[in-house]
Amino acid sequence: MAKIILNKAQVSQLVWDNRYPVKEEEKFLSRCIDGRYEKNSKLKSQMSKLENNNFLPALSIPGADLGELALILATANDFGLAVDYEKVFQGLIKVVGGLKNFSYHTDSHHGGLALGCGHFGQILKDFVAYNLQKKDIEFLEEKLKFLEKKDVLPVILEGEHLEGAVLLIKGDWAVYPRYYLATDEGKKLVEVFAYHQSLADERRKILAKRLIDDGAVVLYPGCDEDYLYQVMSDEAENHLFETLNRLGKDLPIYSVVFDAQGGFDIEKR
Ligand SMILES: [Zn+2]
Ligand SMILES: [Zn+2]
């Protein structure tokens, strides 16, 4: 299937039809930036048990919670911070509201626990580019096995990668990434990579405080949780664009800013 690169008008159409409001009580549950999540598909995961089969987390970040765990370790490596690996994992679990909410995914043709996650796949291929070390990868793989043992299973995405744009989203609305776009030759399936910037920031602020309070990350004297939040944000941008440069190199990037009523502005970056 040929991939359609989306222009601003097409992205507008997609966002208009696929937007949905963020639910306050679910706003810290995550999914990956992957464009293959379905609005109405049964997610083969713990997540689908939370409310109903149509539930899709609004907060989209590279690799979902597995990616966020990798991000904390990379931040520590990059900025020379001391970390307690187990406390980092437990701190993230607390912020997502318990082990059963830990979100990660694979896909039907790669299998494994997270091999079908493009972000995690790139991390495995070239962890140095993500400021990670071999021992970090071993820790992530150990935690994946632990999650499986506890019956916290990955979402299994289906189908081809058809992402034709990158959306950087701000506001209290989210976007389903898959869409049937009307074209001259009938309806065509399209997808977008979606990063929910404002929800990611909001959760990361709370996570930074949690990690400090729990002694999971030890900062230099004079540095506080705002510093940790800042360096995690810098590293998050590194991770996001490292993966986008690898998986969506020539894709246009659009910022989508929602108002409270679901109205939005789109700008090409
Ligand atoms: Zn795959
Ligand atoms: Zn992924």
Side-chain angles (χ1 to χ4, degrees):
M1 209 173 338
K3 184 164 83 176
I4 300 174
I5 302 298
L6 301 172
N7 64 32
K8 188 174 165 179
Q10 292 166 325
V11 170
S12 276
Q13 216 178 312
L14 181 153
V15 172
W16 179 264
D17 286 338
N18 275 15
R19 75 212 145 116
Y20 63 102
V22 174
K23 286 190 189 145
E24 183 66 23
E25 63 277 16
E26 289 163 357
K27 69 178 180 181
F28 290 158
L29 302 176
S30 80
R31 63 170 144 117
C32 186
I33 60 170
D34 197 299
R36 296 172 297 169
Y37 285 90
E38 294 270 11
K39 152 162 56 171
N40 290 315
S41 69
K42 281 189 187 179
L43 294 178
K44 291 175 191 142
S45 77
Q46 303 301 104
M47 274 197 277
S48 59
K49 294 174 196 159
L50 279 180
E51 187 181 81
N52 57 53
N53 289 329
N54 300 340
F55 171 70
L56 187 64
L59 165 57
S60 46
I61 49 177
D65 296 325
L66 179 64
E68 197 72 3
L69 187 57
L71 164 69
I72 301 166
L73 303 180
T75 305
N77 290 335
D78 210 4
F79 296 88
L81 311 173
V83 284
D84 179 317
Y85 281 58
E86 191 52 38
K87 284 183 180 172
V88 164
F89 181 66
Q90 294 303 333
L92 180 57
I93 294 298
K94 280 184 202 164
V95 169
V96 304
L99 192 66
K100 68 178 192 322
N101 290 343
F102 191 97
S103 169
Y104 64 110
H105 79 96
T106 184
D107 67 17
S108 52
H109 57 281
H110 278 87
L113 288 173
L115 296 175
C117 174
H119 181 65
F120 190 64
Q122 291 304 319
I123 286 179
L124 289 182
K125 228 177 248 178
D126 191 3
F127 55 83
V128 175
Y130 289 85
N131 296 314
L132 290 165
Q133 308 173 51
K134 188 85 189 113
K135 64 171 180 175
D136 303 326
I137 302 302
E138 284 161 7
F139 177 73
L140 295 173
E141 286 176 332
E142 178 198 314
K143 285 307 170 201
L144 283 174
K145 280 188 202 130
F146 171 74
L147 287 160
E148 185 189 29
K149 215 174 83 191
K150 294 286 179 185
D151 211 26
V152 179
L153 301 176
V155 172
I156 300 168
L157 299 178
E158 314 253 353
E160 297 303 308
H161 275 290
L162 294 171
E163 290 92 349
V166 177
L167 307 190
L168 305 178
I169 301 166
K170 287 186 181 171
D172 288 332
W173 287 67
V175 177
Y176 297 114
R178 255 191 180 170
Y179 183 61
Y180 283 92
L181 182 75
T183 73
D184 294 342
E185 295 113 53
K187 293 212 164 191
K188 294 262 165 82
L189 180 62
V190 298
E191 296 170 352
V192 289
F193 285 115
Y195 180 65
H196 206 303
Q197 178 86 58
S198 56
L199 280 177
D201 289 349
E202 204 181 328
R203 194 177 83 164
R204 214 165 271 139
K205 253 179 214 156
I206 289 167
L207 180 59
K209 181 169 177 5
R210 179 87 269 154
L211 294 173
I212 302 290
D213 289 352
D214 290 355
V217 178
V218 181
L219 299 176
Y220 303 111
C223 292
D224 58 7
E225 63 211 44
D226 294 333
Y227 169 80
L228 182 58
Y229 168 70
Q230 280 311 325
V231 292
M232 279 171 67
S233 299
D234 290 351
E235 196 64 44
E237 203 169 309
N238 288 344
H239 276 202
L240 174 66
F241 285 100
E242 188 64 42
T243 288
L244 289 176
N245 285 333
R246 287 156 179 264
L247 302 181
K249 197 169 176 23
D250 300 316
L251 297 182
I253 301 178
Y254 299 94
S255 76
V256 180
V257 181
F258 284 105
D259 64 28
Q261 284 72 39
F264 55 87
D265 277 326
I266 295 185
E267 251 173 74
K268 194 164 180 223
R269 298 230 315 191

